[in-house]
Amino acid sequence: MKKLIGRRAPALVVGAGMVLALAGAAGPCTVKSGDHPLVRAYLSAEPVTPVWNPDISPPEPMWIQKVELPGGSVTVSARCCVGQRFVARFSDESSPRTMFTPGDYVYPSELRVALRERVVYGRASGLAGGITKVTKIFAYDLDRRRLVESVDVDPGLLPPVREPASPRPGR
C-alpha cells in the first residue's frame, strides 16, 4: 500500500498544480449579463462629460465632477493615461483617496455619478498586463468612503465611451 501511495503522490501534486494553473490562467469571471446589479446601477448613473487634459501631449480625456455632501463636498476625477486611477478629494481631508486602481495597461475610460445615492461609478478598459483585453466597472460609496464592488464586464453591455465635446487640441 505504501508503494502505491508513494507512486501516486507526485501525480496528484502535478494534477492539482495543473488545475490551479489553468484556473489562474482563466482569470476572473466576466459579467456577461445586463441584469447584474452593478451593471444596472452603472448604466443608470449620469455620465460625467470628459474634457481634454492639457497637461499631457497629445491631450487625453479626463473627468472632473464636484459632488455636494452633507457637511462638505468631494471632487472626483480620473485621467485617461498611463498609471492613472480614479481619485476622490474630500473637502475635509488633506490627501486625496484612491477610489479604484484599474491595473497595468488598463486606463480610466468613463466616470459616472449617481448624485442622489452619492455613489461614483467608473469604467476602465485596456490590455491587462499588456496581454488580455478587459473592461472593468466599479462603484464607490461617497458617504462611507469605500469601494463597494468592482467586476470585469463584457464591454458589449455598455454604451460607447463619450468623447470630449470640443475637438482634440493640436500639439
Side-chain angles (χ1 to χ4, degrees), residues 14-138:
V14 169
M18 290 295 289
V19 168
L20 291 173
L22 290 173
C29 294
T30 299
V31 171
K32 296 183 184 290
S33 169
D35 288 335
H36 189 281
L38 182 55
V39 173
R40 285 195 321 263
Y42 173 88
L43 292 172
S44 68
E46 188 65 32
V48 174
T49 301
V51 295
W52 294 112
N53 181 353
D55 297 335
I56 60 172
S57 181
E60 293 293 338
M62 67 179 190
W63 302 263
I64 300 174
Q65 177 77 43
K66 186 174 182 178
V67 178
E68 295 300 324
L69 300 172
S73 65
V74 60
T75 300
V76 294
S77 64
R79 299 175 193 286
C80 182
C81 57
V82 176
Q84 293 301 307
R85 58 201 197 287
F86 294 85
V87 175
R89 295 178 190 276
F90 289 90
S91 60
D92 61 350
E93 295 181 348
S94 59
S95 297
R97 288 178 179 245
T98 298
M99 295 186 291
F100 184 71
T101 303
D104 289 344
Y105 304 104
V106 181
Y107 310 115
S109 54
E110 188 170 48
L111 189 65
R112 291 174 173 244
V113 178
L115 292 173
R116 192 177 66 219
E117 295 85 3
R118 291 193 290 275
V119 175
V120 173
Y121 298 93
R123 179 194 323 191
S125 301
L127 292 174
I131 300 169
T132 308
K133 274 188 163 185
V134 297
T135 298
K136 302 175 181 209
I137 60 174
F138 74 90

Side-chain angles (χ1 to χ4, degrees), residues 1-10 12:
M1 186 69 167
K2 283 185 182 178
K3 287 184 179 182
L4 190 56
I5 292 174
R7 286 186 208 155
R8 288 187 181 171
L12 289 172

